[in-house]
mmCIF file of all heavy atoms in Angstrom:
data_model
loop_
_atom_site.group_PDB
_atom_site.id
_atom_site.type_symbol
_atom_site.label_atom_id
_atom_site.label_comp_id
_atom_site.label_asym_id
_atom_site.label_seq_id
_atom_site.Cartn_x
_atom_site.Cartn_y
_atom_site.Cartn_z
ATOM 1 N N TYR A 78 -22.908 7.318 18.491
ATOM 2 C CA TYR A 78 -24.231 6.829 18.040
ATOM 3 C C TYR A 78 -24.610 5.601 18.880
ATOM 4 O O TYR A 78 -25.793 5.526 19.268
ATOM 5 C CB TYR A 78 -24.160 6.471 16.541
ATOM 6 C CG TYR A 78 -25.400 5.846 15.984
ATOM 7 C CD1 TYR A 78 -26.449 6.722 15.637
ATOM 8 C CD2 TYR A 78 -25.559 4.458 15.925
ATOM 9 C CE1 TYR A 78 -27.598 6.149 15.106
ATOM 10 C CE2 TYR A 78 -26.736 3.926 15.331
ATOM 11 C CZ TYR A 78 -27.768 4.772 15.019
ATOM 12 O OH TYR A 78 -28.905 4.190 14.495
ATOM 13 N N SER A 79 -23.675 4.766 19.084
ATOM 14 C CA SER A 79 -24.030 3.521 19.844
ATOM 15 C C SER A 79 -24.388 3.785 21.240
ATOM 16 O O SER A 79 -25.080 3.023 21.907
ATOM 17 C CB SER A 79 -22.869 2.528 19.840
ATOM 18 O OG SER A 79 -21.709 3.078 20.580
ATOM 19 N N ALA A 80 -23.953 4.959 21.812
ATOM 20 C CA ALA A 80 -24.211 5.313 23.166
ATOM 21 C C ALA A 80 -25.438 6.145 23.282
ATOM 22 O O ALA A 80 -25.907 6.563 24.370
ATOM 23 C CB ALA A 80 -22.985 6.053 23.791
ATOM 24 N N THR A 81 -26.107 6.483 22.152
ATOM 25 C CA THR A 81 -27.268 7.387 22.170
ATOM 26 C C THR A 81 -28.519 6.581 21.776
ATOM 27 O O THR A 81 -28.492 5.987 20.632
ATOM 28 C CB THR A 81 -27.110 8.552 21.137
ATOM 29 O OG1 THR A 81 -25.868 9.277 21.545
ATOM 30 C CG2 THR A 81 -28.241 9.540 21.286
ATOM 31 N N LEU A 82 -29.513 6.632 22.614
ATOM 32 C CA LEU A 82 -30.817 5.900 22.327
ATOM 33 C C LEU A 82 -31.628 6.806 21.411
ATOM 34 O O LEU A 82 -31.514 8.057 21.399
ATOM 35 C CB LEU A 82 -31.517 5.510 23.575
ATOM 36 C CG LEU A 82 -30.823 4.616 24.522
ATOM 37 C CD1 LEU A 82 -31.663 4.437 25.788
ATOM 38 C CD2 LEU A 82 -30.520 3.264 23.853
ATOM 39 N N GLY A 83 -32.710 6.192 20.747
ATOM 40 C CA GLY A 83 -33.654 6.971 20.110
ATOM 41 C C GLY A 83 -34.454 7.790 21.087
ATOM 42 O O GLY A 83 -34.618 7.428 22.277
ATOM 43 N N ALA A 84 -35.112 8.833 20.564
ATOM 44 C CA ALA A 84 -35.806 9.793 21.460
ATOM 45 C C ALA A 84 -36.988 9.093 22.098
ATOM 46 O O ALA A 84 -37.343 9.436 23.257
ATOM 47 C CB ALA A 84 -36.365 11.020 20.604
ATOM 48 N N ASN A 85 -37.532 8.158 21.506
ATOM 49 C CA ASN A 85 -38.764 7.395 22.083
ATOM 50 C C ASN A 85 -38.368 6.006 22.681
ATOM 51 O O ASN A 85 -39.319 5.296 23.088
ATOM 52 C CB ASN A 85 -39.795 7.218 20.966
ATOM 53 C CG ASN A 85 -40.277 8.587 20.531
ATOM 54 O OD1 ASN A 85 -40.515 9.461 21.268
ATOM 55 N ND2 ASN A 85 -40.451 8.668 19.246
ATOM 56 N N GLU A 86 -37.170 5.640 22.743
ATOM 57 C CA GLU A 86 -36.743 4.364 23.199
ATOM 58 C C GLU A 86 -36.759 4.329 24.768
ATOM 59 O O GLU A 86 -36.390 5.316 25.423
ATOM 60 C CB GLU A 86 -35.296 4.111 22.730
ATOM 61 C CG GLU A 86 -34.930 2.585 22.891
ATOM 62 C CD GLU A 86 -33.768 2.191 22.039
ATOM 63 O OE1 GLU A 86 -33.291 3.042 21.133
ATOM 64 O OE2 GLU A 86 -33.129 1.147 22.292
ATOM 65 N N ARG A 87 -37.214 3.193 25.253
ATOM 66 C CA ARG A 87 -37.358 3.057 26.711
ATOM 67 C C ARG A 87 -35.995 2.798 27.362
ATOM 68 O O ARG A 87 -35.263 1.935 26.899
ATOM 69 C CB ARG A 87 -38.306 1.818 26.970
ATOM 70 C CG ARG A 87 -38.745 1.677 28.459
ATOM 71 C CD ARG A 87 -39.834 0.613 28.558
ATOM 72 N NE ARG A 87 -40.363 0.529 29.848
ATOM 73 C CZ ARG A 87 -41.243 1.343 30.375
ATOM 74 N NH1 ARG A 87 -41.804 2.308 29.681
ATOM 75 N NH2 ARG A 87 -41.707 1.093 31.592
ATOM 76 N N ILE A 88 -35.757 3.560 28.281
ATOM 77 C CA ILE A 88 -34.427 3.509 29.088
ATOM 78 C C ILE A 88 -34.510 2.565 30.240
ATOM 79 O O ILE A 88 -35.608 2.527 30.914
ATOM 80 C CB ILE A 88 -33.971 4.900 29.571
ATOM 81 C CG1 ILE A 88 -33.477 5.731 28.422
ATOM 82 C CG2 ILE A 88 -32.799 4.812 30.611
ATOM 83 C CD1 ILE A 88 -33.178 7.160 28.809
ATOM 84 N N LYS A 89 -33.599 1.695 30.404
ATOM 85 C CA LYS A 89 -33.491 0.754 31.535
ATOM 86 C C LYS A 89 -32.434 1.157 32.492
ATOM 87 O O LYS A 89 -31.256 1.319 32.080
ATOM 88 C CB LYS A 89 -33.353 -0.648 31.016
ATOM 89 C CG LYS A 89 -34.490 -1.158 30.235
ATOM 90 C CD LYS A 89 -34.256 -2.584 29.670
ATOM 91 C CE LYS A 89 -35.515 -3.102 28.918
ATOM 92 N NZ LYS A 89 -35.848 -2.257 27.733
ATOM 93 N N ILE A 90 -32.840 1.203 33.854
ATOM 94 C CA ILE A 90 -31.923 1.719 34.846
ATOM 95 C C ILE A 90 -31.619 0.625 35.890
ATOM 96 O O ILE A 90 -32.526 -0.093 36.301
ATOM 97 C CB ILE A 90 -32.527 2.942 35.509
ATOM 98 C CG1 ILE A 90 -32.875 4.025 34.553
ATOM 99 C CG2 ILE A 90 -31.678 3.405 36.697
ATOM 100 C CD1 ILE A 90 -33.595 5.163 35.109
ATOM 101 N N GLY A 91 -30.348 0.541 36.331
ATOM 102 C CA GLY A 91 -29.986 -0.268 37.435
ATOM 103 C C GLY A 91 -29.572 0.603 38.667
ATOM 104 O O GLY A 91 -28.869 1.604 38.436
ATOM 105 N N VAL A 92 -29.946 0.285 39.812
ATOM 106 C CA VAL A 92 -29.759 1.126 41.000
ATOM 107 C C VAL A 92 -28.776 0.387 41.960
ATOM 108 O O VAL A 92 -29.067 -0.747 42.405
ATOM 109 C CB VAL A 92 -31.039 1.451 41.763
ATOM 110 C CG1 VAL A 92 -30.743 2.209 42.998
ATOM 111 C CG2 VAL A 92 -32.067 2.231 40.951
ATOM 112 N N ILE A 93 -27.670 1.038 42.217
ATOM 113 C CA ILE A 93 -26.682 0.371 43.142
ATOM 114 C C ILE A 93 -26.726 1.212 44.416
ATOM 115 O O ILE A 93 -26.307 2.361 44.417
ATOM 116 C CB ILE A 93 -25.290 0.417 42.484
ATOM 117 C CG1 ILE A 93 -25.300 -0.382 41.207
ATOM 118 C CG2 ILE A 93 -24.243 -0.187 43.462
ATOM 119 C CD1 ILE A 93 -23.970 -0.282 40.475
ATOM 120 N N GLY A 94 -27.100 0.567 45.547
ATOM 121 C CA GLY A 94 -27.257 1.277 46.722
ATOM 122 C C GLY A 94 -28.786 1.482 47.135
ATOM 123 O O GLY A 94 -29.560 1.709 46.187
ATOM 124 N N ALA A 95 -29.108 1.246 48.339
ATOM 125 C CA ALA A 95 -30.501 1.355 48.862
ATOM 126 C C ALA A 95 -30.640 2.043 50.163
ATOM 127 O O ALA A 95 -31.525 1.720 50.947
ATOM 128 C CB ALA A 95 -31.187 -0.001 48.809
#
Side-chain angles (χ1 to χ4, degrees):
Y78 178 80
S79 66
T81 304
L82 297 178
N85 298 318
E86 196 167 343
R87 192 170 182 80
I88 288 177
K89 294 180 174 62
I90 302 173
V92 177
I93 302 174

